[in-house]
Amino acid sequence: MTLYNGRRAWIVTGYDAARQVLVNHEDFSSVRDDPRFPATAPRFEAARKIRNFLGMDPPEHTAQRRTLTASFTVKRIARLRPHIQQIVDGLLDAILAGDGTADLVPQFALPVPSMAICHLLGVPYDDHAFFEEQSRRIVQGESSLEDSAAAFANVRDYLADLIETKRRTPGDGLLDELITDHVATGGLDAADLSEMALLLLVAGHETTANAIALGVLTLLEHPEVLARVRADAGAVPGVVEELLRLLSIADGVPRFATRDTEIAGQSIAAGDGVLVAVAANNRDEAVFSDPGAFDADRAARRHVAFGYGIHQCLGQNLARAEMEIALASIVARIPTLRLAVPADELRLKHPAGLHGVVALPVTW
Ligand code: HEM
């Protein structure tokens, strides 16, 4: 494929080939600030300078990620479920108290992950609107390189201040825990912590927000699945897994080859950029039969919507919990929910690598 700047890169469309690339972190690097790293849009040029573990290889990646893994296990995330349910209930109360119409992107899909990740990290609740705005500017396709960089700088400054405040007056969020366990003991410096927090905030906002908005849309387009979600709580995790496969929100996972190698019989030269086409991998007919169909009974868990290998999404249990609670609750509380405009009039977001809708007008 040809990238926005004319550079050529390999695109990996098959499921097995994708896993071969993603599992092989020795031949395929994630390091963002290497000139060989393929930027898929101008705004990712700004991201080159960001030092977080998504853009690191081992051993740095291993050390940083290890400080967080215990906080994102299925068990730890299960403890957050009552709080996520409270967030979702509050947002639905506000929507139902309104005038019978809503835009589910700003009123539901974005605040759920935003409020949840702020709560988890121990970022003051009053600041979540600030994060939603900055995160939109960072990842949204329309934003310019300058705008995206300015939004990053805003969040970075905010986090540096917050970490300083928390060092003096500790609270009880994940950031506070990391300060006590890793910064205070010299294992992690405050600047690294700030970059990690920035990664969690940005990665935790828009991805899940897009998944919730497109998830509601997909359920509205498939009333038979929607009816099952409403009738049977046990069906919800399977439906969410199939949505993750079908929607493949985070598409085009970038790497570059560190040495000459071969994938699916194709020679890849050292320095070549490689993009793993997640949506195509998740529709590989050799793995998923009738891959374009939304099949709630499919055992879809093998999908690569969260990537694969050492960088596989750290927040996947959180994303699943948020999607399950948000989707099950909205269809239960608003049984007559429907789109307020024809589906083909919905504006799609077009940022490289992230699928979503700009707005989701509904009525009931
Ligand atoms: C439906 C929602 C989500 C999707 C589809 C998604 C997708 C992905 C993918 C594909 C990767 C791998 C990138 C690569 O290999 O280069 C990734 C990594 C990551 N995700 Fe997610 N993500 C989602 C939600 C979240 C949430 C809620 C968090 C919040 C904490 C999060 C935090 C991260 C982090 C920290 C990484 C980097 C992991 C590493 O480099 O070791 N993600 N995500």
Side-chain angles (χ1 to χ4, degrees):
M1 67 180 289
T2 303
L3 302 177
Y4 79 96
N5 55 5
R7 187 178 162 195
R8 304 270 289 161
W10 298 104
I11 179 157
V12 185
T13 54
Y15 178 87
D16 287 337
R19 299 216 310 180
Q20 278 173 42
V21 170
L22 293 175
V23 85
N24 183 353
H25 53 82
E26 280 164 4
D27 292 349
F28 295 100
S29 170
S30 288
V31 172
R32 295 282 186 281
D33 59 4
D34 189 299
R36 295 171 292 177
F37 188 84
T40 50
R43 70 201 154 84
F44 290 128
E45 301 291 356
R48 283 184 186 281
K49 295 282 157 253
I50 300 163
R51 297 281 305 144
N52 65 47
F53 63 93
L54 174 67
M56 291 175 186
D57 292 339
E60 274 180 295
H61 168 269
T62 324
Q64 287 210 6
R65 181 168 167 135
R66 194 184 290 139
T67 60
L68 291 172
T69 39
S71 306
F72 287 89
T73 58
V74 176
K75 226 167 142 185
R76 281 292 286 272
I77 296 302
R79 298 216 304 250
L80 276 180
R81 280 182 176 257
H83 186 79
I84 299 171
Q85 185 70 60
Q86 252 177 34
I87 293 172
V88 166
D89 289 347
L91 292 166
L92 290 174
D93 287 346
I95 287 171
L96 285 165
D99 63 1
T101 61
D103 177 355
L104 291 184
V105 172
Q107 289 176 258
F108 190 64
L110 196 50
V112 170
S114 165
M115 290 159 84
I117 192 76
C118 284
H119 172 78
L120 179 100
L121 286 174
V123 167
Y125 172 83
D126 288 347
D127 296 333
H128 80 91
F130 164 79
F131 281 112
E132 283 165 35
E133 171 62 12
Q134 307 309 314
S135 131
R136 193 189 54 71
R137 288 172 59 192
I138 291 169
V139 290
Q140 204 158 72
E142 291 119 68
S143 68
S144 66
L145 180 57
E146 292 73 28
D147 190 51
S148 184
F152 249 122
N154 287 346
V155 180
R156 184 178 281 128
D157 290 350
Y158 171 89
L159 285 170
D161 286 350
L162 181 67
I163 289 167
E164 263 326 295
T165 312
K166 283 180 175 294
R167 284 174 89 163
R168 288 192 301 271
T169 330
D172 58 4
L174 174 56
L175 280 181
D176 304 279
E177 242 174 69
L178 291 168
I179 290 171
T180 313
D181 297 348
H182 299 284
V183 180
T185 58
L188 196 67
D189 65 35
D192 286 343
L193 177 61
S194 169
E195 294 299 319
M196 271 164 60
L198 182 63
L199 170 63
L200 294 175
L201 280 166
V202 174
H205 267 74
E206 280 276 333
T207 43
T208 318
N210 287 331
I212 291 173
L214 286 181
V216 172
L217 174 63
T218 311
L219 287 177
L220 290 175
E221 302 271 279
H222 294 83
E224 69 297 346
V225 185
L226 191 147
R228 275 183 65 184
V229 168
R230 188 177 298 133
D232 176 12
V236 177
V239 168
V240 163
E241 225 53 54
E242 173 67 344
L243 282 170
L244 286 162
R245 179 194 71 83
L246 198 63
L247 301 172
S248 297
I249 301 289
D251 207 357
V253 172
R255 299 285 189 268
F256 66 87
T258 54
R259 56 176 93 123
D260 292 348
T261 179
E262 195 186 287
I263 289 292
Q266 176 64 56
S267 305
I268 313 275
D272 281 358
V274 176
L275 284 168
V276 176
V278 174
N281 312 144
N282 281 337
R283 282 178 178 68
D284 185 334
E285 276 173 340
V287 183
F288 305 101
S289 59
D290 193 9
F294 180 20
D295 175 0
D297 294 316
R298 191 196 300 275
R301 211 165 162 118
R302 283 185 297 171
H303 64 70
V304 286
F306 290 123
Y308 188 67
I310 59 166
H311 290 279
Q312 194 182 54
C313 183
L314 176 78
Q316 58 185 284
N317 298 319
L318 178 60
R320 287 190 175 101
E322 290 170 358
M323 287 178 71
E324 287 172 22
I325 295 168
L327 295 175
S329 303
I330 196 167
V331 302
R333 294 274 308 273
I334 320 185
T336 55
L337 187 71
R338 59 182 194 279
L339 284 181
V341 297
D344 56 10
E345 284 177 21
L346 291 172
R347 264 183 68 213
L348 298 180
K349 289 182 185 171
H350 286 292
L354 219 52
H355 301 295
V357 280
V358 176
L360 190 62
V362 292
T363 184
W364 53 89

